[in-house]
Structure formats: structure tokens, C-alpha cells
Amino acid sequence: MSEYLVSIITLAAIWVVLALSLNLVTGYAGQVSLAQGALFGVGAYAAAIAATRHNVTFPLDIPLAAAITATAGGLLALPALRVRHDFLVLTTMGVNFVVVAIFQYVDYFGASSGIVGIPLPALAGRTLSSHEVMAIAIGLAAFTFVSNWCLLRTWFGLRMVAIRDDEAAAAATGISVAATKIWAFVLAGAYAGIAGALYARFIGSVFPSSFGFVESVTILSMVILGGEGTLVGPLVAAVILRSLPEVLRPLADWRLVVYGLALALVIRFQPGGLLGHGSILRNLFSRRAARGPLAREVRTQDAGSAGRPAGGRGGV
Amino acid sequence: MQPLLKVESLTRDFGGNRAVDDATFRVSEGEVVGLIGPNGAGKTTLFNCVSGHLRPTAGTVRFADVDVTRLPAHARARRGIGRTFQVVRPFRSLTVRQQVEVGAGVAAYRSFLTSLAPRPRRNRRVDAVLGDLGLADVADRLVDTLPLGLQRQVEIARAEALEPRLLLLDEPGAGLTNPELAELSRHVRALRGRGRTVLLIEHAMDFAMSTCDRIIVLVEGRVIADDTPKRVQSDEQVIAAYLGVEDPVGPLSEPAR
């Protein structure tokens, strides 16, 4: 396998973790956030600083970055508790700009020259090959997928969906809406931290520009295009959106145009996402696949109410 | 009988508009109490102040001898105040069974860490509630696909799963057909049989009068009567303000625009 392909697969796996992390907050808890790029950055910078200045070795930097980013996620939730819908989108977008500005202008974070010379992951004194790093990335993506799958089968998973569907009804049922949102952001932060740490180690350097608004929009696009509130949708969308520009080089410069266009088309014609519940593709592939733990049961007589209404909750 | 709910001098303003004005009443353990009044009388506002979905401007709400006035809605729900909504508010992507599981799960697994326990396929408490409210056959359906009468039952079931001591039902009979109303009346009486205290808002007079032990009449935010259904029906103030009588002055007092 060529190094180039290995690199594409590794990055795709990292973005699967990112898309699934935002999917917890946006797809399941219903909080549309444009700050996942910033959380990704917090994880990457945490790992970069730990590795270059404090000699934290792999794989300890991954749980460390996850813990720091989970805390950052919890902090992000605090302003988010006061606002909903479009105001939440704007608030989180603002937070993302602030975080990038801190990376950009504070010397501790290397300012605009970033942090470079992050050593490649090593185990027992031996630097891992790119193939091994790729295997670790795939392993972490699989871990994220499986742990999210399990999370959705817990009582907490049900609570996230309940606050997404109706906050007032959730509160009347004894659910602390605030606590549920905070924990969803904390979990999303933890996964973004894992992705960030792996990214920093794999690329070897971190720069503020990698974690800006565009990155947050990209991650959100993966969730919405794939089908928010499903696990397979964001996974598939992350792999495709991350790899497509690499495979089709001429497309790379047009990346954002393609994302934007795809997003507009999907929101118009398949508001639940390409692989969302009740979507054409999902119905085509299998009827049983639509029966997730919290899935809308897609039956013929329910087809009308199965998809989310265009421009409804979850749209940007 | 112990007073379970004590509402004292409760007032709620919306800007310059006083929706609830110095309302005071009690509900005792085991009672079924009806709250009636014309549109805009402040019934739902009063409900929201009791359930914690609104904070009162003044006054207190005491539940089971604890001042809950400052507690948020979810904390009151956990203490035993369950409620339904005037316009049904189901969790639209959850099945009937899952709606009830939400309530049952909150009762059993309060903190974040305990809520990370996996949900079992079947839960006895959930099955019991579904059976009690006649929802066992539609347990795996989405609420949107059910007729309104069943949607209201689902809301009651969701609240019931919390094993509340007080159940607030906001117009449970609105939009229901006569057979559905009869079914609802049967369920409300069964709730009392299971030891629930019920406070319900109702417009369907026959339903309220036949189902409730006591009726509280709210007009322009004020409690103007609080008595047995029979006496409330013959109370002149109530008749004049709400139930409607032939206007003594006749058509002259009708629209003078």
C-alpha cells in the first residue's frame, strides 16, 4: 500500500472520530455546534504541547488530550445552555473564532508559527510505521463507533434524544436538560480530543489555521450529509468527504463549493441526510438497517412522518 | 387528609398583564381536583408555575411540605410532580415504549454515571404502565401515528412512569371524542385508585363535574370558587363569570361596537 493511500486512510479514520463526536451533540442531543473544529484543535494542541515540552509519550497523550478537551467541551456547553437553535450556532461559531485567535496570538501556543517537531508515535522505544499508525487510527475510529453504539443503548442515550425532541417535555419527565447537554458536550469533547491527539502525532505539527471555522463547517457537513442521529451516516460521509478531494485532485480547490452545494441539495431533498432514517438510500439498502436503538421505525404507513421536515430542527 | 400541594398567594405577570393574581388553594393527598375557568383565565400559567416550567412573580408553591418555588421543572418532577401538556408534546422520534422508559429511567438512574447503565430490553415498570393505560398494543409505534386520544394516554403514561405523587393534567379531554372521554375518565379514576393525586384543567364540563372531587374556578387569574362540583355549579358568581346564564339585560349588553 502506498504511503499516500495510508495517509488518506489515516486521515479519514481521524475524521470519522470527529464526525461521530459532533454527531453526539448535534445528531442525538440536538445542539447544532460550529465549535467542533476548536475542540479538535484543543486536543491537537494539548497533545502537541504534552509531547514536545513535557515528554509525554504515546499512547498516554491520547487520554490526556481527551480529558483536557472533554473539559473544554464542558466549558463550551456553559454559554450554549443559555441559547438555542440559530443563536447556539452563532455562539459556538464565536467560541471557535476565539479559540483559534488564542492559538494564533498567544506565544504559549506557538502563535502563528504553530508547534512543530511533534515526534511520531513510538511504542517501547520503537517509532511506529505509518501502517501501524493507520491501524491505530482505524482502531480508534472503531472504538468511537462501538462506544457510541453502546452509549445510545444506555439511559443517558435516551435522555439525549428526549431533550432533542422536546426540552419542556424532557424537564417535565425529570430530565435535567442542562446536565444532559453539558455531558453531551463533554463526551463530544473527549472524542474530539482523541482525534486531535492522533492528528498532531500523525502530521507532526499543528497550526491555528487547521482548526478554524472551515473545519467546523466541514465536520458539521459530514454529520448532516450522512444523516444526523445515525451512526453509519456520519461515518460514511466522513470517509467520503475527507477522501474525495485527495482522490480527485482537481476537486481540492473546489472543496468548499462542493461541500456547500451538497449540503444545500441534501437539506432540500433529503433533510434527514443521505443515510438518515427514511432516506431513499437507506430504504434502498435495507429496511432492517433503519431500526436503530432510537430509530424511527420506518414502515410503509409511517413513511410520511419518518424524515425530518425540511428546514426543521437540525438544519443550519 | 394531608395537603400535598399548597399554593399560596401565587401571582404571575407577563409584562403588564397579570395572568395569575394572588391564587391560593390546596390539594390533598388522594384527591382529584378540577381547575376550570374561561379561556385566558390563567389556568395553564398556574399549572406551569406549579410544575416549574414558569417562575411565579410572587407567592409560593409547597409540595409535600417542601417549598419548591425556586426549584427547576426537572427537580420538581423528580420530587413527584408529573404533568401533561395542553398541546401534546411527545418525543417524536421515540416509540411509545421508549417515551415511558424515559420516565422510568429517570426515576431509577438519576446521575450521569448511573445513567450510563445499558437499558434492558424489557422493563417491568414500563410494561406495567403501558398495560395500565391500555398502550401495550401500540408500544412499538411512533406517537405521531396514533390518534389524539392515545397520544394523550402516552403523555399520562410518560408521567406515570415517574411514579408521581401529584399528576397535573392540562386539558386531557381536549379534542377527544365522547367514547375517548369516557375512556379517559375511567383512567383518571384508576389513577386515583393507584393512590395518585390529580389536578386537572378541563373545558368539558360534564367530564370535569363527573370525574373530580372538587372544582377550583379561576377567572382573570383569581380563584373565585373552590368547592364540590355540585355547589360550584350552583354558585352564582361562577355562573355569572363562567358557566353562562341568560344575560339579565338581554341583547343590549351584547357587542356594542
Side-chain angles (χ1 to χ4, degrees), chain A:
Chain A
M1 200 184 289
S2 76
E3 285 297 315
Y4 182 53
L5 189 58
V6 168
S7 152
I8 290 175
I9 294 173
T10 308
L11 290 173
I14 291 174
W15 260 263
V16 166
V17 176
L18 281 173
L20 289 176
S21 74
L22 182 63
N23 189 40
L24 280 180
V25 163
T26 300
Y28 287 103
Q31 309 301 306
V32 179
S33 166
L34 271 179
Q36 206 64 10
L39 289 179
F40 177 41
V42 169
Y45 271 85
I49 290 168
T52 55
R53 296 184 205 154
H54 304 286
N55 293 320
V56 177
T57 53
F58 181 85
L60 285 181
D61 53 349
I62 289 184
L64 178 73
I68 291 172
T69 316
T71 312
L75 291 174
L76 169 66
L78 298 181
L81 289 180
R82 301 245 154 235
V83 287
R84 284 190 215 174
H85 311 306
D86 34 3
F87 289 100
L88 174 64
V89 175
L90 288 174
T91 304
T92 50
M93 202 170 107
V95 168
N96 205 127
F97 282 120
V98 170
V99 170
V100 169
I102 291 171
F103 292 154
Q104 180 98 40
Y105 298 112
V106 176
D107 286 340
Y108 180 75
F109 298 104
S112 53
S113 43
I115 297 173
V116 294
I118 306 160
L120 274 168
L123 273 178
R126 184 179 67 82
T127 301
L128 299 180
S129 74
S130 57
H131 283 74
E132 286 164 329
V133 176
M134 177 184 75
I136 290 169
I138 293 172
L140 286 173
F143 162 76
T144 305
F145 186 89
V146 171
S147 57
N148 279 358
W149 187 87
C150 293
L151 186 70
L152 297 172
R153 279 157 179 79
T154 67
W155 298 100
F156 180 75
L158 195 62
R159 276 176 213 179
M160 285 198 296
V161 176
I163 67 161
R164 176 189 78 191
D165 283 0
D166 195 318
E167 291 190 6
T173 320
I175 295 174
S176 167
V177 174
T180 306
K181 283 185 192 172
I182 291 173
W183 283 113
F185 272 99
V186 165
L187 289 169
Y191 287 113
I194 293 174
L198 201 64
Y199 175 83
R201 284 285 187 177
F202 179 66
I203 300 290
S205 55
V206 291
F207 299 100
S209 56
S210 310
F211 311 106
F213 174 66
V214 169
E215 199 48 62
S216 287
V217 171
T218 306
I219 300 168
L220 186 62
S221 306
M222 291 168 175
V223 173
I224 292 174
L225 280 176
E228 47 178 331
T230 71
L231 287 175
V232 175
L235 180 144
V236 172
V239 171
I240 293 174
L241 287 188
R242 183 63 215 178
S243 315
L244 207 61
E246 307 281 351
V247 178
L248 303 171
R249 270 280 143 175
L251 259 182
D253 294 338
W254 292 84
R255 197 171 66 135
L256 288 176
V257 177
V258 173
Y259 288 1
L261 203 63
L263 207 53
L265 289 173
V266 164
I267 288 172
R268 171 64 186 83
F269 295 107
Q270 290 272 275
L274 288 175
L275 285 165
H277 298 298
S279 67
I280 296 166
L281 272 179
R282 193 180 273 257
N283 284 350
L284 202 67
F285 281 127
S286 131
R287 286 193 173 272
R288 284 195 60 80
R291 295 173 179 241
L294 305 167
R296 292 149 183 279
E297 299 246 301
V298 182
R299 299 179 189 156
T300 29
Q301 75 265 31
D302 301 348
S305 62
R308 286 212 194 157
R313 177 194 55 223
V316 187

